[in-house]
Amino acid sequence: MFTIKFSFEQKGLEPITIDNVEGGQSVLEVALDNNIELHHNCGMVCACSTCHLYLESGEELVPELSDKEEDFIDRARNPRLNSRLACQCILEGKGGVLEVTLPDQSTIHGD
């Protein structure tokens, strides 16, 4: 099982930890299932950058960054070396702890 620790850049939002997460799901799916606002304009098919996040730790628990994902991250607001798309961060392996930071979602329009 996995644990995902969500932190937020948006002011007023406290960190949220989700425990007992089953593998095979994307970080985006886990966020949405737990009422964590994370935009996803393309419908989770790696065709936009609205589900952009910062992967703080646990990179070994998700697939490596693909060329396609990297192309869309380059279009995201404030990309960093640890930027990923939540729809592409599929939980793999036996489990562990993943820590992510969500950029301020209040500046993104659409859903």
Side-chain angles (χ1 to χ4, degrees):
M1 298 298 269
F2 295 85
T3 296
I4 305 178
K5 297 180 179 182
F6 291 91
S7 296
F8 305 92
E9 288 186 342
Q10 187 172 334
K11 292 187 185 331
L13 296 180
E14 295 295 321
I16 297 172
T17 299
I18 309 296
D19 293 311
N20 300 316
V21 177
E22 291 189 27
Q25 302 179 78
S26 70
V27 171
L28 176 57
E29 291 170 312
V30 174
L32 297 175
D33 287 348
N34 288 279
N35 298 314
I36 297 172
E37 182 180 353
L38 184 51
H39 290 278
H40 52 286
N41 289 352
C42 74
M44 299 188 250
V45 297
C46 193
C48 71
S49 62
T50 55
C51 68
H52 171 239
L53 56 75
Y54 303 115
L55 183 56
E56 307 294 355
S57 69
E59 55 277 343
E60 71 280 0
L61 304 174
V62 297
E64 288 185 23
L65 180 69
S66 69
D67 290 340
K68 181 178 180 181
E69 181 182 1
E70 187 172 18
D71 287 344
F72 283 104
I73 287 171
D74 288 342
R75 303 173 195 176
R77 292 180 188 207
N78 303 317
R80 300 178 189 159
L81 290 176
N82 64 335
S83 288
R84 293 295 306 263
L85 299 180
C87 69
Q88 298 303 294
C89 291
I90 311 295
L91 301 171
E92 298 181 327
K94 295 181 180 179
V97 178
L98 196 75
E99 295 184 39
V100 301
T101 300
L102 302 187
D104 187 344
Q105 295 284 297
S106 69
T107 61
I108 300 173
H109 301 290
D111 197 353

